[in-house]
Amino acid sequence: MKSLPFVALVALHLALAPAAAAKLSKAESGMAKTVTAEQARSLALLEKLVNQNSGSQNLEGVEKVGAMMRAELEPLGFKVEWKDMRDTGRAGHLIATHTGKPDGKRLLLIAHLDTVFEPDSPFQTFVRKGDMGEGPGAGDDKGGMVVIVAALRAMKAAGTLKDANIEIHMTGDEEDSGTPIEKARADLIAAGKRSDVALDFEGLVRDNGADMGSVARRSSDSWTVTATGKSAHSSGIFSAAAGDGAIYELTRIIHRFRTELPEPNLTFNVGLIAGGQQAELDAGGIRATVNGKTNIIAPIAIARGDLRALSPEQIERVKAKMAAIVAAHAPGTDAKIAFDPGGYPSMAPTDGNRALLAKLNGVNRDLGLAEMAPLDPLKRGAGDISFVAADVDGLAGLGPYSTGDHAPGEAVDIPSISRQATRAAILMSRLAAEKR
């Protein structure tokens, strides 16, 4: 049996449940119809965006996607600015503002123009495969940008956009941020301080087939442990003169990390390790050059890894534990730990974020959709909304559902674009009508 369009399913449900129909205003019902009526237009925009490569380091490509989004937002009444960020090593950000009633809540919408797929990737084009649209960034995050545009078009058609205060930040370096990150995210952080609500349009997460609400995102930090020891003949290992050597010392540290650090909502990974007579990392910290012999005690060993936590307090507590473990040296060794500057902060699951999810679930009830439970934060990574989480209540995951993100074969679930756009249009209309 051919599946019904989303709005048809909503209409069928409302016909069977008249009480629910009364909960949607005329404007809200019109938004659902507009989203469905413009599905082909939304898919054409998605294909156009996906077919333009915008890997984070393809600065011209990112700018071209920004120009495409400008062409969509300006006709909706947004003032659009391109914020050049080439001095951070990245293209820049698209910032769009719409001014409504002065006493209405100020909404901040967050998405990103870039993808992980650079021009040398073999994965470059959009391909429709039934209800799935496969292509680089189809879900992360070009599908999210399409949801924003579809929702805003529906709001404009229904008359709810004209009074709404909305600021949109589409960053050009979410997948590989510019440096220093304090400069790369300065505009977004400032926007969070003047906003009342932040809505992040990265992908929807499903758990056991159910749409989930994201009220939290964990942090993302990177660390480097460098252990040193005495270089000597291997026959003297463990002696008072030679000591344990750098590799045993690094192994001790990593083992203690694994056994002593675990706690709820925390993960830490070792992604790169090297040790020997000589070992050094490249400038980006992603490659190592190493040499050594079996009969030489290694004088240096290096490990690189990440750390993800749910709150600033947890981040600092775990970093202190790691530093204490590193400081307890084995005989004849030394070790240091360094945390990379410019990590992503966490988005803690606050009461304000939960209240926003409750409002989204009010939209779901009125549409006849299942309520969305809070997603376990272990099931999603870091994101740009975390930079404003300390200043404003927020929700993440308002983009479409997708599979295989960050790998060839990434594909967006096409029906979820309409569903998410309808949810977003109604939610934004209701939030924008609230008083500050």
Side-chain angles (χ1 to χ4, degrees):
M1 178 180 175
K2 187 175 180 181
S3 60
L4 290 170
F6 169 63
V7 75
L9 291 173
V10 173
L12 177 60
H13 176 89
L14 296 180
L16 295 174
K23 296 179 181 179
L24 282 178
S25 69
K26 181 179 179 181
E28 291 170 347
S29 296
M31 284 185 250
K33 294 176 182 177
T34 297
V35 168
T36 298
E38 295 196 342
Q39 182 184 35
R41 183 177 179 180
S42 294
L43 290 179
L45 175 59
L46 177 64
E47 181 172 2
K48 181 180 179 182
L49 293 170
V50 170
N51 285 337
Q52 171 57 60
N53 180 278
S54 60
S56 305
Q57 298 181 43
N58 179 5
L59 308 193
E60 291 76 17
V62 172
E63 286 190 22
K64 288 178 180 178
V65 171
M68 293 176 189
M69 297 312 299
R70 177 190 290 271
E72 299 295 328
L73 295 171
E74 285 184 336
L76 294 173
F78 282 80
K79 179 183 178 182
V80 180
E81 173 192 3
W82 177 256
K83 188 63 178 285
D84 185 272
M85 298 299 290
R86 288 184 180 244
D87 57 353
T88 71
R90 296 295 178 264
H93 312 314
L94 189 82
I95 302 172
T97 54
H98 184 281
T99 303
K101 287 186 175 180
D103 59 347
K105 281 194 172 177
R106 298 174 181 176
L107 312 187
L108 172 62
L109 314 186
I110 303 171
H112 62 90
L113 306 164
D114 63 320
T115 77
V116 300
F117 303 96
E118 299 295 341
D120 60 354
S121 168
F123 188 51
Q124 292 291 341
T125 57
F126 182 85
V127 178
R128 176 78 181 266
K129 295 183 177 180
D131 278 345
M132 303 298 290
E134 183 179 288
D140 185 18
D141 187 32
K142 292 177 178 179
M145 293 191 292
V146 169
V147 168
I148 289 176
V149 172
L152 294 174
R153 285 182 190 144
M155 291 174 68
K156 185 174 179 64
T160 62
L161 180 60
K162 67 179 186 301
D163 293 332
N165 294 297
I166 298 176
E167 184 170 351
I168 305 172
H169 280 244
M170 294 181 175
T171 58
D173 62 346
E174 196 270 352
E175 302 291 5
D176 189 1
S177 60
T179 55
I181 201 165
E182 293 81 6
K183 182 170 186 177
R185 291 295 174 273
D187 292 293
L188 179 61
I189 292 169
K193 293 181 184 300
R194 58 178 172 262
S195 299
D196 301 302
V197 175
L199 303 175
D200 176 79
F201 284 81
E202 285 202 293
L204 170 72
V205 175
R206 287 178 178 160
D207 197 4
N208 294 320
D211 291 357
M212 305 297 288
S214 294
V215 297
R217 300 188 75 152
R218 294 186 303 149
S219 64
S220 179
D221 286 283
S222 295
W223 52 264
T224 302
V225 171
T226 303
T228 55
K230 299 175 182 178
S231 181
H233 195 283
S234 64
S235 63
I237 190 75
F238 311 135
S239 67
D244 282 17
I247 291 179
Y248 275 118
E249 170 64 357
L250 184 63
T251 303
R252 177 196 68 80
I253 291 167
I254 292 172
H255 177 69
R256 287 192 64 187
F257 283 177
R258 179 66 185 90
T259 55
E260 298 178 27
L261 294 181
E263 61 179 73
N265 299 313
L266 174 72
T267 58
F268 46 94
N269 178 58
V270 182
L272 175 66
I273 190 166
Q277 190 172 7
Q278 293 179 315
E280 61 180 1
L281 299 175
D282 69 356
I286 61 173
R287 296 177 183 85
T289 302
V290 62
N291 65 72
K293 290 185 176 181
T294 60
N295 62 352
I296 298 176
I297 299 173
I300 186 167
I302 306 169
R304 287 270 293 160
D306 79 349
L307 169 67
R308 297 173 186 265
L310 189 56
S311 69
E313 294 77 17
Q314 185 178 40
I315 295 167
E316 294 310 311
R317 181 176 67 254
V318 172
K319 284 183 176 180
K321 284 184 180 181
M322 296 174 78
I325 289 170
V326 170
H329 309 305
T333 69
D334 195 2
K336 305 292 183 185
I337 187 168
F339 295 95
D340 290 7
Y344 269 55
S346 62
M347 172 186 176
T350 64
D351 289 342
N353 296 353
R354 295 187 188 98
L356 279 177
L357 179 57
K359 291 179 181 181
L360 177 57
N361 277 326
V363 174
N364 285 326
R365 287 192 299 273
D366 294 347
L367 286 169
L369 300 173
E371 291 196 20
M372 300 163 72
L375 176 71
D376 181 345
L378 287 173
K379 296 184 177 180
R380 87 170 308 143
D384 277 342
I385 192 172
S386 295
F387 285 98
V388 303
D391 298 307
V392 62
D393 298 331
L395 276 180
L398 293 174
Y401 175 68
S402 59
T403 60
D405 291 5
H406 286 208
E410 176 179 327
V412 66
D413 176 74
I414 291 171
S416 73
I417 295 174
S418 293
R419 177 175 292 199
Q420 290 293 83
T422 301
R423 280 172 168 153
I426 296 173
L427 177 65
M428 290 192 293
S429 296
R430 292 180 180 183
L431 290 172
E434 293 178 3
K435 304 298 183 183
R436 297 196 73 198

